Structures are given as C-alpha cells and as structure tokens.
Amino acid sequence: MKVMLVNGSPHKKGCTYTALKIVADTLKEEGIETEIFWIGNKPLSGCIACKKCIELGKCIFNDKVNEFKEKIKNVDGFIFGSPVHYASATGAITSFLDRAFYSDFCGNENRSFYLKPAACVISARRAGTTTTFDQLNKYFTIQEMPIISSRYWNMVHGATPEQVLQDEEGVYTMRVLARNMAFFLKCKEAGLKAGIPLPKKETPIFTNFIR
C-alpha cells in the first residue's frame, strides 16, 4: 500500500514539508510506502473550464498536475499539505487541486481518487489554519474520499522547520494522523479481500438552482 503526500508550499523543505515528513515517517513504521510530491514554485494556472480533460483524459496544461496524475494511478491514499497564505491555502495548491480533481472527475470512469482515504495538513506561523483546513477538506468530500482524522485538527505552528518540531502537540497530531491512515488502509484491504463489495454506483444527477 502507498500514500502520496503532496507538498503545496513554495519551499521544498520548509514547514509544510516538515509536517508531512513526520506523517511519512510514521506511515513507514506502519508498513505503508510513501512518496512526497512537491508541486514546485513555478506559476500554476487555475482551471479555465475548457473541459478538454474529458477528451484528453488529462489536463490541457502539461505541468505538475499531469505529472502528479501519472504518479497516482496505483496510490491508495493521499495527504495534501499547505501553508497558510492570507487565512487560506496557497494560490498554487488551490490551482493544482482545482485542476487535478476536476480532470479526474470530469467524464472519467477510472477515477484516481474514488473511495481513497485523504487528509490535509496545514502549517502556519500563527493563524488561518482552521479556514485552510476546511477549504481543503471540501475537495475530498466531492470526490467520495473518506476523510482521515487525527486527535486534533491537522495543523502545526512555526515560522521555521525547527519551530515546527518544537510544536509538541502538532507533531503528536501528525503521528496520530499517520497511524489512523494506516489503520484505515489495512481495514479497507482486509474488507476487499473478504469480498465486501464497493458501494453500488448510481448515474450522477446534476442540477442548478433553477431546475
């Protein structure tokens, strides 16, 4: 089993990476393979609603989003990390997730995220963590992804990686999150081996506020 951890910070090995590394190390202790994927610090366009992903099976912009989508075909769980920028996730990780999730959902029968457990990890110097936490969790619920929780909201505090490691409760929260993710993955694997079927699928219904 493998969990992909996504570093949405412009800093490759900053505070967000430090939190994700704690999760990754604990997952490895539980026998789960991990990979930390950095989205980089180059500009990432947001979704332009061209819907070419229906035709192409991937996003029309060939950048970190498509690189990520190629890597996750055999991934079993996800953890997305972001620092706080103005009380919300970074613009880069927001654009990244908009396109990664929309191109996976739009007209795709072999969805990469369907029923795979997910969680987000937030790092901040001081505040804005809970709003960012709420923002990122919404990606998971629209894709039928079970959300893995910890003993507290998944956040660490500090202005440097060294300060993050001094946040004892935050570090503890990362370890609990990893163990809960590992437990869920093992239970899911055992259930599938026992012959428990996936949920029955219905044809999606799309409406708006007029009809």
Side-chain angles (χ1 to χ4, degrees), residues 67-114:
E67 181 184 334
F68 168 74
K69 294 294 292 293
E70 278 297 313
K71 282 179 168 283
I72 64 173
K73 292 177 180 178
N74 296 311
V75 167
D76 303 288
F78 298 89
I79 296 178
F80 296 90
S82 176
V84 172
H85 288 182
Y86 291 94
S88 62
T90 70
I93 191 67
T94 301
S95 294
F96 179 90
L97 291 174
D98 280 355
R99 288 169 49 209
F101 274 69
Y102 189 77
S103 62
D104 191 73
F105 179 77
C106 199
N108 189 346
E109 290 300 320
N110 299 310
R111 290 156 58 191
S112 301
F113 299 126
Y114 175 65

Short mmCIF file of all heavy atoms in Angstrom, two decimals, residues 67-114:
data_model
loop_
_atom_site.label_atom_id
_atom_site.label_comp_id
_atom_site.label_asym_id
_atom_site.label_seq_id
_atom_site.Cartn_x
_atom_site.Cartn_y
_atom_site.Cartn_z
N GLU A 67 1.87 15.55 -14.25
CA GLU A 67 2.95 14.73 -13.67
C GLU A 67 2.44 14.00 -12.44
O GLU A 67 2.70 12.80 -12.25
CB GLU A 67 4.14 15.62 -13.31
CG GLU A 67 5.31 14.87 -12.72
CD GLU A 67 6.45 15.80 -12.29
OE1 GLU A 67 6.56 16.91 -12.84
OE2 GLU A 67 7.20 15.40 -11.37
N PHE A 68 1.71 14.71 -11.62
CA PHE A 68 1.12 14.11 -10.42
C PHE A 68 0.11 13.03 -10.77
O PHE A 68 0.12 11.93 -10.20
CB PHE A 68 0.45 15.23 -9.60
CG PHE A 68 -0.44 14.76 -8.49
CD1 PHE A 68 0.10 14.23 -7.32
CD2 PHE A 68 -1.82 14.87 -8.61
CE1 PHE A 68 -0.73 13.82 -6.29
CE2 PHE A 68 -2.65 14.45 -7.58
CZ PHE A 68 -2.11 13.92 -6.41
N LYS A 69 -0.75 13.31 -11.75
CA LYS A 69 -1.79 12.36 -12.12
C LYS A 69 -1.20 11.06 -12.65
O LYS A 69 -1.77 9.98 -12.46
CB LYS A 69 -2.74 12.98 -13.15
CG LYS A 69 -3.57 14.15 -12.64
CD LYS A 69 -4.56 13.74 -11.56
CE LYS A 69 -5.67 12.86 -12.09
NZ LYS A 69 -6.55 13.56 -13.02
N GLU A 70 -0.05 11.14 -13.31
CA GLU A 70 0.61 9.92 -13.80
C GLU A 70 1.14 9.08 -12.65
O GLU A 70 1.20 7.86 -12.74
CB GLU A 70 1.77 10.30 -14.74
CG GLU A 70 1.33 10.61 -16.15
CD GLU A 70 0.70 9.41 -16.84
OE1 GLU A 70 1.27 8.30 -16.77
OE2 GLU A 70 -0.38 9.57 -17.45
N LYS A 71 1.52 9.74 -11.57
CA LYS A 71 2.13 9.04 -10.45
C LYS A 71 1.13 8.33 -9.54
O LYS A 71 1.51 7.45 -8.78
CB LYS A 71 2.93 10.04 -9.60
CG LYS A 71 4.29 10.41 -10.18
CD LYS A 71 4.98 11.42 -9.27
CE LYS A 71 6.44 11.58 -9.65
NZ LYS A 71 7.27 10.46 -9.19
N ILE A 72 -0.14 8.73 -9.58
CA ILE A 72 -1.08 8.29 -8.55
C ILE A 72 -1.99 7.14 -8.98
O ILE A 72 -2.90 6.77 -8.24
CB ILE A 72 -1.95 9.46 -8.05
CG1 ILE A 72 -2.84 9.99 -9.18
CG2 ILE A 72 -1.07 10.56 -7.48
CD1 ILE A 72 -3.85 11.03 -8.70
N LYS A 73 -1.72 6.55 -10.12
CA LYS A 73 -2.61 5.50 -10.62
C LYS A 73 -2.70 4.32 -9.67
O LYS A 73 -3.74 3.66 -9.59
CB LYS A 73 -2.15 5.06 -12.01
CG LYS A 73 -2.36 6.15 -13.06
CD LYS A 73 -1.84 5.73 -14.43
CE LYS A 73 -2.06 6.84 -15.46
NZ LYS A 73 -1.51 6.48 -16.79
N ASN A 74 -1.63 4.03 -8.96
CA ASN A 74 -1.63 2.90 -8.03
C ASN A 74 -1.45 3.33 -6.59
O ASN A 74 -0.98 2.56 -5.75
CB ASN A 74 -0.53 1.90 -8.43
CG ASN A 74 -0.78 1.29 -9.79
OD1 ASN A 74 -1.87 0.81 -10.08
ND2 ASN A 74 0.23 1.31 -10.64
N VAL A 75 -1.82 4.56 -6.30
CA VAL A 75 -1.73 5.08 -4.93
C VAL A 75 -3.01 4.76 -4.17
O VAL A 75 -4.10 4.80 -4.74
CB VAL A 75 -1.46 6.61 -4.96
CG1 VAL A 75 -1.67 7.24 -3.60
CG2 VAL A 75 -0.04 6.88 -5.44
N ASP A 76 -2.87 4.46 -2.89
CA ASP A 76 -4.02 4.03 -2.09
C ASP A 76 -4.59 5.12 -1.18
O ASP A 76 -5.73 5.02 -0.74
CB ASP A 76 -3.62 2.83 -1.22
CG ASP A 76 -3.11 1.68 -2.07
OD1 ASP A 76 -3.93 1.03 -2.74
OD2 ASP A 76 -1.89 1.43 -2.06
N GLY A 77 -3.81 6.15 -0.87
CA GLY A 77 -4.29 7.22 0.00
C GLY A 77 -3.52 8.50 -0.26
O GLY A 77 -2.44 8.48 -0.87
N PHE A 78 -4.07 9.62 0.22
CA PHE A 78 -3.49 10.93 -0.07
C PHE A 78 -3.48 11.82 1.15
O PHE A 78 -4.42 11.81 1.95
CB PHE A 78 -4.31 11.65 -1.16
CG PHE A 78 -4.32 10.95 -2.48
CD1 PHE A 78 -5.30 10.00 -2.77
CD2 PHE A 78 -3.37 11.21 -3.44
CE1 PHE A 78 -5.32 9.34 -3.98
CE2 PHE A 78 -3.38 10.57 -4.66
CZ PHE A 78 -4.36 9.62 -4.94
N ILE A 79 -2.42 12.62 1.26
CA ILE A 79 -2.36 13.68 2.25
C ILE A 79 -1.82 14.92 1.55
O ILE A 79 -0.74 14.88 0.93
CB ILE A 79 -1.48 13.31 3.45
CG1 ILE A 79 -2.09 12.11 4.18
CG2 ILE A 79 -1.34 14.50 4.40
CD1 ILE A 79 -1.28 11.61 5.35
N PHE A 80 -2.59 15.99 1.59
CA PHE A 80 -2.21 17.24 0.92
C PHE A 80 -1.83 18.27 1.98
O PHE A 80 -2.59 18.51 2.92
CB PHE A 80 -3.37 17.77 0.08
CG PHE A 80 -3.75 16.86 -1.05
CD1 PHE A 80 -4.72 15.88 -0.88
CD2 PHE A 80 -3.14 16.97 -2.29
CE1 PHE A 80 -5.08 15.03 -1.91
CE2 PHE A 80 -3.49 16.12 -3.34
CZ PHE A 80 -4.46 15.15 -3.15
N GLY A 81 -0.66 18.88 1.81
CA GLY A 81 -0.19 19.87 2.76
C GLY A 81 -0.11 21.26 2.16
O GLY A 81 0.25 21.42 0.99
N SER A 82 -0.45 22.25 2.98
CA SER A 82 -0.36 23.64 2.51
C SER A 82 0.00 24.56 3.67
O SER A 82 -0.52 24.38 4.78
CB SER A 82 -1.68 24.11 1.91
OG SER A 82 -1.62 25.48 1.54
N PRO A 83 0.85 25.56 3.42
CA PRO A 83 0.98 26.64 4.40
C PRO A 83 -0.23 27.57 4.29
O PRO A 83 -1.03 27.44 3.34
CB PRO A 83 2.26 27.35 3.96
CG PRO A 83 2.34 27.10 2.49
CD PRO A 83 1.72 25.74 2.27
N VAL A 84 -0.34 28.45 5.23
CA VAL A 84 -1.43 29.43 5.21
C VAL A 84 -0.94 30.72 4.55
O VAL A 84 0.07 31.28 4.96
CB VAL A 84 -1.93 29.73 6.64
CG1 VAL A 84 -2.92 30.89 6.63
CG2 VAL A 84 -2.55 28.49 7.25
N HIS A 85 -1.67 31.17 3.52
CA HIS A 85 -1.42 32.47 2.89
C HIS A 85 -2.71 33.28 3.00
O HIS A 85 -3.72 32.94 2.38
CB HIS A 85 -1.03 32.29 1.42
CG HIS A 85 0.34 31.73 1.22
ND1 HIS A 85 0.90 31.54 -0.03
CD2 HIS A 85 1.29 31.32 2.11
CE1 HIS A 85 2.12 31.05 0.10
NE2 HIS A 85 2.37 30.90 1.39
N TYR A 86 -2.70 34.30 3.81
CA TYR A 86 -3.88 35.15 3.98
C TYR A 86 -5.11 34.33 4.38
O TYR A 86 -6.16 34.41 3.76
CB TYR A 86 -4.14 35.99 2.73
CG TYR A 86 -3.09 37.06 2.52
CD1 TYR A 86 -1.99 36.82 1.70
CD2 TYR A 86 -3.17 38.28 3.17
CE1 TYR A 86 -1.00 37.77 1.54
CE2 TYR A 86 -2.19 39.24 3.02
CZ TYR A 86 -1.11 38.99 2.19
OH TYR A 86 -0.12 39.93 2.04
N ALA A 87 -4.93 33.51 5.42
CA ALA A 87 -6.02 32.73 6.02
C ALA A 87 -6.64 31.71 5.07
O ALA A 87 -7.79 31.33 5.23
CB ALA A 87 -7.10 33.66 6.60
N SER A 88 -5.87 31.27 4.08
CA SER A 88 -6.37 30.24 3.16
C SER A 88 -5.17 29.48 2.59
O SER A 88 -4.02 29.83 2.83
CB SER A 88 -7.19 30.87 2.03
OG SER A 88 -6.39 31.75 1.26
N ALA A 89 -5.48 28.43 1.83
CA ALA A 89 -4.42 27.67 1.17
C ALA A 89 -3.71 28.54 0.14
O ALA A 89 -4.25 29.55 -0.33
CB ALA A 89 -5.01 26.43 0.51
N THR A 90 -2.53 28.14 -0.24
CA THR A 90 -1.78 28.92 -1.24
C THR A 90 -2.52 28.94 -2.58
O THR A 90 -3.28 28.02 -2.90
CB THR A 90 -0.38 28.32 -1.47
OG1 THR A 90 -0.51 27.08 -2.17
CG2 THR A 90 0.36 28.10 -0.17
N GLY A 91 -2.26 29.98 -3.35
CA GLY A 91 -2.86 30.04 -4.68
C GLY A 91 -2.41 28.88 -5.55
O GLY A 91 -3.19 28.34 -6.33
N ALA A 92 -1.16 28.45 -5.38
CA ALA A 92 -0.63 27.36 -6.19
C ALA A 92 -1.32 26.04 -5.89
O ALA A 92 -1.74 25.32 -6.81
CB ALA A 92 0.88 27.23 -5.98
N ILE A 93 -1.46 25.69 -4.61
CA ILE A 93 -2.10 24.41 -4.29
C ILE A 93 -3.58 24.45 -4.63
O ILE A 93 -4.17 23.44 -5.02
CB ILE A 93 -1.89 24.02 -2.80
CG1 ILE A 93 -2.32 22.57 -2.53
CG2 ILE A 93 -2.63 24.95 -1.87
CD1 ILE A 93 -1.49 21.53 -3.19
N THR A 94 -4.20 25.62 -4.55
CA THR A 94 -5.61 25.74 -4.93
C THR A 94 -5.78 25.49 -6.42
O THR A 94 -6.65 24.72 -6.85
CB THR A 94 -6.15 27.13 -4.55
OG1 THR A 94 -6.02 27.32 -3.14
CG2 THR A 94 -7.62 27.26 -4.95
N SER A 95 -4.93 26.12 -7.24
CA SER A 95 -4.98 25.87 -8.69
C SER A 95 -4.67 24.42 -9.00
O SER A 95 -5.32 23.79 -9.84
CB SER A 95 -3.99 26.79 -9.41
OG SER A 95 -4.37 28.14 -9.31
N PHE A 96 -3.69 23.87 -8.32
CA PHE A 96 -3.28 22.48 -8.52
C PHE A 96 -4.44 21.53 -8.23
O PHE A 96 -4.76 20.64 -9.03
CB PHE A 96 -2.10 22.18 -7.59
CG PHE A 96 -1.58 20.78 -7.66
CD1 PHE A 96 -0.57 20.44 -8.55
CD2 PHE A 96 -2.08 19.79 -6.83
CE1 PHE A 96 -0.09 19.14 -8.62
CE2 PHE A 96 -1.61 18.49 -6.88
CZ PHE A 96 -0.60 18.17 -7.78
N LEU A 97 -5.09 21.72 -7.09
CA LEU A 97 -6.19 20.83 -6.72
C LEU A 97 -7.42 21.03 -7.59
O LEU A 97 -8.10 20.06 -7.94
CB LEU A 97 -6.54 21.03 -5.25
CG LEU A 97 -5.50 20.54 -4.25
CD1 LEU A 97 -5.89 20.93 -2.82
CD2 LEU A 97 -5.29 19.04 -4.35
N ASP A 98 -7.72 22.27 -7.95
CA ASP A 98 -8.85 22.52 -8.85
C ASP A 98 -8.71 21.69 -10.12
O ASP A 98 -9.65 21.03 -10.57
CB ASP A 98 -8.92 24.00 -9.23
CG ASP A 98 -9.54 24.87 -8.15
OD1 ASP A 98 -10.01 24.33 -7.12
OD2 ASP A 98 -9.56 26.11 -8.33
N ARG A 99 -7.53 21.72 -10.70
CA ARG A 99 -7.32 21.03 -11.98
C ARG A 99 -7.16 19.52 -11.80
O ARG A 99 -7.69 18.74 -12.58
CB ARG A 99 -6.11 21.63 -12.68
CG ARG A 99 -6.39 23.03 -13.24
CD ARG A 99 -5.11 23.71 -13.69
NE ARG A 99 -4.33 22.83 -14.54
CZ ARG A 99 -3.01 22.88 -14.64
NH1 ARG A 99 -2.32 23.75 -13.92
NH2 ARG A 99 -2.38 22.05 -15.44
N ALA A 100 -6.45 19.11 -10.76
CA ALA A 100 -6.25 17.68 -10.54
C ALA A 100 -7.57 16.98 -10.24
O ALA A 100 -7.85 15.91 -10.78
CB ALA A 100 -5.27 17.46 -9.39
N PHE A 101 -8.40 17.60 -9.43
CA PHE A 101 -9.66 16.97 -9.06
C PHE A 101 -10.69 17.08 -10.18
O PHE A 101 -11.43 16.12 -10.44
CB PHE A 101 -10.19 17.59 -7.77
CG PHE A 101 -9.63 16.95 -6.53
CD1 PHE A 101 -8.30 17.11 -6.19
CD2 PHE A 101 -10.42 16.15 -5.72
CE1 PHE A 101 -7.77 16.51 -5.07
CE2 PHE A 101 -9.91 15.54 -4.59
CZ PHE A 101 -8.56 15.71 -4.26
N TYR A 102 -10.74 18.22 -10.86
CA TYR A 102 -11.73 18.36 -11.93
C TYR A 102 -11.42 17.43 -13.09
O TYR A 102 -12.32 16.78 -13.63
CB TYR A 102 -11.80 19.81 -12.42
CG TYR A 102 -12.96 20.05 -13.36
CD1 TYR A 102 -14.25 20.18 -12.87
CD2 TYR A 102 -12.76 20.12 -14.74
CE1 TYR A 102 -15.32 20.38 -13.73
CE2 TYR A 102 -13.82 20.32 -15.60
CZ TYR A 102 -15.10 20.46 -15.09
OH TYR A 102 -16.15 20.65 -15.95
N SER A 103 -10.16 17.33 -13.48
CA SER A 103 -9.80 16.47 -14.60
C SER A 103 -9.99 15.01 -14.26
O SER A 103 -10.18 14.16 -15.14
CB SER A 103 -8.36 16.73 -15.05
OG SER A 103 -7.45 16.43 -14.01
N ASP A 104 -9.96 14.67 -12.97
CA ASP A 104 -10.20 13.29 -12.55
C ASP A 104 -11.69 12.97 -12.52
O ASP A 104 -12.11 11.85 -12.83
CB ASP A 104 -9.61 13.06 -11.15
CG ASP A 104 -9.60 11.59 -10.77
OD1 ASP A 104 -8.77 10.86 -11.33
OD2 ASP A 104 -10.41 11.17 -9.94
N PHE A 105 -12.48 13.95 -12.18
CA PHE A 105 -13.91 13.75 -12.01
C PHE A 105 -14.68 13.87 -13.32
O PHE A 105 -15.66 13.18 -13.55
CB PHE A 105 -14.45 14.79 -11.02
CG PHE A 105 -15.93 14.71 -10.76
CD1 PHE A 105 -16.45 13.73 -9.94
CD2 PHE A 105 -16.80 15.61 -11.35
CE1 PHE A 105 -17.81 13.65 -9.70
CE2 PHE A 105 -18.16 15.54 -11.11
CZ PHE A 105 -18.66 14.56 -10.29
N CYS A 106 -14.20 14.74 -14.21
CA CYS A 106 -14.98 15.11 -15.38
C CYS A 106 -14.90 14.05 -16.48
O CYS A 106 -13.92 13.93 -17.20
CB CYS A 106 -14.48 16.45 -15.92
SG CYS A 106 -15.66 17.27 -17.00
N GLY A 107 -15.94 13.26 -16.60
CA GLY A 107 -16.03 12.28 -17.67
C GLY A 107 -15.06 11.12 -17.55
O GLY A 107 -14.74 10.45 -18.53
N ASN A 108 -14.58 10.85 -16.34
CA ASN A 108 -13.57 9.81 -16.16
C ASN A 108 -14.15 8.67 -15.35
O ASN A 108 -14.51 8.83 -14.19
CB ASN A 108 -12.35 10.41 -15.44
CG ASN A 108 -11.19 9.45 -15.41
OD1 ASN A 108 -11.34 8.26 -15.68
ND2 ASN A 108 -10.02 9.96 -15.07
N GLU A 109 -14.23 7.48 -15.94
CA GLU A 109 -14.76 6.31 -15.24
C GLU A 109 -13.71 5.67 -14.34
O GLU A 109 -14.04 5.00 -13.37
CB GLU A 109 -15.29 5.29 -16.26
CG GLU A 109 -16.55 5.74 -16.97
CD GLU A 109 -17.71 5.99 -16.02
OE1 GLU A 109 -17.88 5.20 -15.06
OE2 GLU A 109 -18.45 6.96 -16.22
N ASN A 110 -12.44 5.82 -14.70
CA ASN A 110 -11.36 5.24 -13.90
C ASN A 110 -10.76 6.31 -13.00
O ASN A 110 -9.64 6.76 -13.19
CB ASN A 110 -10.29 4.63 -14.82
CG ASN A 110 -10.86 3.54 -15.70
OD1 ASN A 110 -11.52 2.64 -15.21
ND2 ASN A 110 -10.61 3.63 -17.00
N ARG A 111 -11.52 6.72 -12.02
CA ARG A 111 -11.14 7.85 -11.19
C ARG A 111 -10.03 7.48 -10.21
O ARG A 111 -10.06 6.45 -9.56
CB ARG A 111 -12.37 8.38 -10.47
CG ARG A 111 -13.36 9.05 -11.42
CD ARG A 111 -14.77 9.06 -10.87
NE ARG A 111 -14.83 9.73 -9.58
CZ ARG A 111 -15.92 9.68 -8.80
NH1 ARG A 111 -16.97 8.99 -9.18
NH2 ARG A 111 -15.92 10.30 -7.64
N SER A 112 -9.05 8.37 -10.10
CA SER A 112 -7.88 8.11 -9.26
C SER A 112 -8.14 8.33 -7.78
O SER A 112 -7.42 7.80 -6.93
CB SER A 112 -6.72 9.02 -9.70
OG SER A 112 -6.39 8.81 -11.04
N PHE A 113 -9.16 9.14 -7.45
CA PHE A 113 -9.41 9.50 -6.06
C PHE A 113 -10.57 8.74 -5.42
O PHE A 113 -10.73 8.76 -4.20
CB PHE A 113 -9.70 11.00 -5.94
CG PHE A 113 -8.57 11.88 -6.39
CD1 PHE A 113 -8.77 12.86 -7.36
CD2 PHE A 113 -7.29 11.74 -5.87
CE1 PHE A 113 -7.73 13.68 -7.77
CE2 PHE A 113 -6.25 12.55 -6.28
CZ PHE A 113 -6.47 13.53 -7.23
N TYR A 114 -11.38 8.07 -6.20
CA TYR A 114 -12.62 7.46 -5.72
C TYR A 114 -12.39 6.48 -4.57
O TYR A 114 -11.63 5.52 -4.68
CB TYR A 114 -13.31 6.75 -6.88
CG TYR A 114 -14.55 5.97 -6.50
CD1 TYR A 114 -15.68 6.61 -6.01
CD2 TYR A 114 -14.58 4.59 -6.62
CE1 TYR A 114 -16.82 5.90 -5.66
CE2 TYR A 114 -15.71 3.86 -6.28
CZ TYR A 114 -16.83 4.53 -5.79
OH TYR A 114 -17.95 3.81 -5.44
#
